[in-house]
Amino acid sequence: RRDAGTGPEACPGCGLHAPDMRKHMKRCCPEKLPEKLVGPMSEEREAERRTAAGDESWISEEEVFEAAMRSVDAIEDPFLRRVL
């Protein structure tokens, strides 16, 4: 470890002082990033994000499922299709 420390700018996972702490934490300890500590996104917050981004830019779960099924059906190799 280089430059290990315990200050507020130290990584909570390994204690290193990295110049770009967010980038370092994404590789070192992504579970300790601030947005991960908040927990899963609530339904209301998810709805707000979709509204702010515009409903056209989001794919519904049904659309994802249908596209996945079409992709699996398009595979000609039966053994590979069974694996998926």
Side-chain angles (χ1 to χ4, degrees):
R1 293 183 191 185
R2 327 174 240 126
D3 192 28
T6 58
E9 66 278 348
C11 173
C14 66
L16 286 177
H17 293 278
D20 186 356
M21 187 55 64
R22 180 165 181 74
K23 184 176 179 181
H24 169 79
M25 285 179 66
K26 280 185 171 182
R27 291 184 176 213
C28 175
C29 51
E31 71 280 356
K32 295 185 179 182
L33 284 167
E35 60 268 17
K36 300 285 183 173
L37 295 175
V38 173
M41 192 176 301
S42 68
E43 291 291 327
E44 299 125 14
R45 183 146 183 239
E46 183 70 27
E48 288 174 13
R49 285 184 59 211
R50 288 182 183 209
T51 304
D55 287 331
E56 295 82 34
S57 64
W58 290 85
I59 301 173
S60 71
E61 290 182 29
E62 293 82 23
E63 290 173 315
V64 171
F65 180 77
E66 290 170 7
M69 294 308 295
R70 281 194 308 269
S71 296
V72 170
D73 291 340
I75 296 173
E76 295 177 9
D77 184 5
F79 294 115
L80 181 58
R81 194 176 325 132
R82 185 184 302 166
V83 169
L84 295 175

